[in-house]
Amino acid sequence: MAHFAEIDANNIVQRVIVVSNDDCGGGIYPGSEAIGSEFCSQLLGGTWKQTSYNSNFRKNYAGKGFEFDVANDCFWSPQPYASWTKNTTTLAWESPITKPEGDYVWDEEAYQSDNTTGWNAISLAE
């Protein structure tokens, strides 16, 4: 099975569908994309990009509301916090403060109040 994401004029994913490998010419990415995209477009209209359920290509599996980044040929999830930025080397969102070792959760409110704290330790009760 192959997965395709419909993107709008702003490169925002509208939906993701599963397509039979037969409808993609039986090939694998990237050769399957042109055939599968055309199949999706003929069937449903719109513009389609292939996405990988196992993140074998285009870094992140697309989901509704994700952005297709043409320059980096990847899908970005929606920005998790206002202070986080895109790291175009790792193709992942990055916090403004490096996460410490261990179990921590991001606290945007704390970061916005002083720009020095943001990671709060969490307790994993047994």
Side-chain angles (χ1 to χ4, degrees):
M1 302 309 262
H3 300 82
F4 283 82
E6 181 183 19
I7 58 172
D8 67 12
N10 296 313
N11 291 325
I12 303 301
V13 175
Q14 301 302 297
R15 59 184 162 169
V16 178
I17 64 170
V18 179
V19 174
S20 168
N21 288 339
D22 293 340
D23 294 320
C24 300
I28 58 170
Y29 179 85
S32 59
E33 182 172 45
I35 297 167
S37 293
E38 180 63 23
F39 172 79
C40 294
S41 183
Q42 290 289 324
L43 186 66
L44 302 167
T47 302
W48 297 84
K49 295 288 183 183
Q50 194 167 358
T51 185
S52 172
Y53 184 77
N54 297 316
S55 300
N56 292 331
F57 55 88
R58 295 206 164 121
K59 181 60 177 172
N60 301 302
Y61 179 69
K64 186 175 180 175
F66 280 45
E67 173 192 2
F68 178 67
D69 180 338
V70 176
N72 292 299
D73 193 32
C74 72
F75 290 100
W76 290 95
S77 63
Q79 187 175 16
Y81 302 98
S83 63
W84 287 35
T85 57
K86 292 176 179 176
N87 180 323
T88 56
T89 301
T90 63
L91 302 177
W93 287 102
E94 192 170 86
S95 66
I97 300 171
T98 303
K99 182 180 176 188
E101 293 284 327
D103 295 316
Y104 287 82
V105 64
W106 182 253
D107 183 342
E108 183 71 9
E109 189 174 314
Y111 177 74
Q112 293 297 336
S113 69
D114 66 16
N115 289 344
T116 60
T117 57
W119 290 107
N120 291 331
I122 57 174
S123 172
L124 300 175
E126 293 184 34

